[in-house]
Amino acid sequence: MVKKRMTISPTEKNKALITEMLKAAHFRMTKPRTAILDLMIDNHGPFTIEEIQKILKKKSRISIDFATVYRTMRAFEKAAIVTKCDFGDGFSRFERTDHRSGHHHHHIVCNICRKTARVDICPVGDLINLAKSSGFDSITHSLEFFGVCGECQTL
Amino acid sequence: MVKKRMTISPTEKNKALITEMLKAAHFRMTKPRTAILDLMIDNHGPFTIEEIQKILKKKSRISIDFATVYRTMRAFEKAAIVTKCDFGDGFSRFERTDHRSGHHHHHIVCNICRKTARVDICPVGDLINLAKSSGFDSITHSLEFFGVCGECQTL
DNA sequence: TTGTATGCAAAGGCTTTGCAGATTG
DNA sequence: CAATCTGCAAAGCCTTTGCATACAA
């Protein structure tokens, strides 16, 4: 008789990591936070507030108020647990921060359905080719820089 | 006796170009549109809606309703007269479209005062150096791609 | 004149905030 | 038990829209 393997629920599987992440940021371990982190560990995203809410409602049957999701995301962002993405369509999106030094990635966004694909290299020329090979068309890109200008550095 | 040179007001100076631009897009030549174009011909921007309003109020003593500015910008954008920029801070910004084929540029934005400087080259590595030389610090950049994904191409 | 554009005010859509009750440590 | 967190509702902020009036062609 074959020994049946123990099935581990997603939450169970990620519990250690979640506990660690919340503890490191001095956050209390609550149901909404655990569920959100569990989702973001298993799925790359990025996710809008509404997506996070709906996915958790469907998959985990957990109802989280949207104000809580907003607050959680803001807190997580400040704690560098998540990174905000702005695709210029009026929705804030969030994904887990990539803490490997020097690592960052970009996205390609469908202008119709807003689906996103991850793009892992940066130089623009190569990126356009890679993006095209992912099946996207009519590609444009937006590149903006942020920083602190000379005047504000002395404030 | 030295012949005094005729001084030409900004609006006078740009009038021909403005008339041409509006006519080409089948727009009526109204006071708000003329004033906005006059501003955007003389200043690079990009400008927020509020900036356009306030600058015109101050410089030309023209009071334009913000709804009109929004509508004008949307119409101009559709007519490719202006291009919208999104710096992820909740404000739409607009600048005159650069119609030279293959030309586009980026910006570096001060996170404190939101002042922007134009950055005219694209490859990321070089851009960071150029941006730094403009006096900005703590530079980050955001690069996003937009397009139509495989599924939506068949709709 | 006739369709277009403007101004004003109200409504929309995403996000933030106030506060009382629930929960975590 | 004390500090934090959540849910609910109201408010904020940028943007869009409805409608009557004003204006360009």
Side-chain angles (χ1 to χ4, degrees), chain B residues 113-131:
Chain B
C113 70
R114 291 280 125 188
K115 183 173 60 197
T116 66
R118 179 171 174 153
V119 179
D120 276 294
I121 59 170
C122 190
V124 176
D126 290 341
L127 256 188
I128 290 185
N129 289 329
L130 190 76

Side-chain angles (χ1 to χ4, degrees), chain A:
Chain A
M1 176 170 125
V2 181
K3 209 171 169 185
K4 211 172 168 185
R5 232 188 252 157
M6 182 88 79
T7 330
I8 302 179
S9 82
T11 301
E12 203 55 44
K13 171 169 64 70
N14 298 326
K15 186 165 278 179
L17 179 53
I18 292 171
T19 304
E20 181 193 323
M21 293 173 81
L22 290 176
K23 188 166 291 177
H26 302 292
F27 287 136
R28 288 186 174 175
M29 191 153 136
T30 67
K31 209 167 175 177
R33 287 170 180 170
T34 303
I36 291 172
L37 279 182
D38 188 47
L39 165 66
M40 300 187 90
I41 287 170
D42 289 336
N43 301 69
H44 171 261
F47 300 109
T48 63
I49 298 295
E50 192 187 6
E51 282 167 355
I52 292 173
Q53 238 191 176
K54 291 200 169 165
I55 293 173
L56 291 182
K57 182 115 187 182
K58 217 178 293 180
K59 295 205 170 174
S60 316
R61 305 183 190 278
I62 296 175
S63 231
I64 305 179
D65 189 87
F66 65 89
T68 299
V69 183
Y70 275 112
R71 276 188 285 233
T72 302
M73 287 303 109
R74 220 181 340 159
F76 281 4
E77 192 189 7
K78 196 184 293 182
I81 291 173
V82 303
T83 300
K84 189 195 278 194
C85 320
D86 188 327
F87 294 161
D89 63 354
F91 297 89
S92 293
R93 287 176 174 74
F94 302 88
E95 63 188 7
R96 274 182 75 204
T97 303
D98 187 343
H99 285 290
R100 294 170 297 167
S101 90
H103 279 256
H104 76 283
H105 66 270
H106 299 289
H107 302 92
I108 177 165
V109 184
C110 176
N111 277 327
I112 297 174
C113 70
R114 290 281 125 189
K115 183 173 59 194
T116 66
R118 178 170 174 154
V119 178
D120 277 294
I121 58 170
C122 191
V124 176
D126 290 341
L127 255 188
I128 290 184
N129 289 329
L130 190 76
K132 278 184 179 159
S133 75
S134 73
F136 278 70
D137 201 350
S138 308
I139 295 172
T140 60
H141 68 275
S142 136
L143 175 55
E144 304 294 346
F145 284 78
F146 300 86
V148 178
C149 72
E151 278 173 42
C152 292
Q153 285 170 36
T154 65
L155 291 186

Side-chain angles (χ1 to χ4, degrees), chain B residues 46-116:
Chain B
F47 300 108
T48 63
I49 298 295
E50 192 187 6
E51 282 167 355
I52 292 172
Q53 236 191 179
K54 291 201 170 165
I55 293 173
L56 291 181
K57 182 115 188 182
K58 218 177 293 180
K59 294 205 170 175
S60 317
R61 306 187 187 275
I62 296 175
S63 231
I64 305 178
D65 190 85
F66 65 90
T68 299
V69 183
Y70 275 113
R71 276 188 285 232
T72 302
M73 287 301 110
R74 219 180 343 156
F76 281 5
E77 191 190 6
K78 197 185 291 180
I81 292 173
V82 303
T83 300
K84 189 196 278 193
C85 320
D86 189 326
F87 295 161
D89 63 355
F91 298 90
S92 293
R93 285 175 175 75
F94 302 88
E95 63 188 7
R96 275 181 74 204
T97 303
D98 187 343
H99 285 289
R100 295 169 297 165
S101 90
H103 280 255
H104 76 283
H105 65 269
H106 299 289
H107 302 92
I108 177 164
V109 184
C110 176
N111 277 328
I112 298 174
C113 70
R114 291 280 125 188
K115 183 173 60 197
T116 66

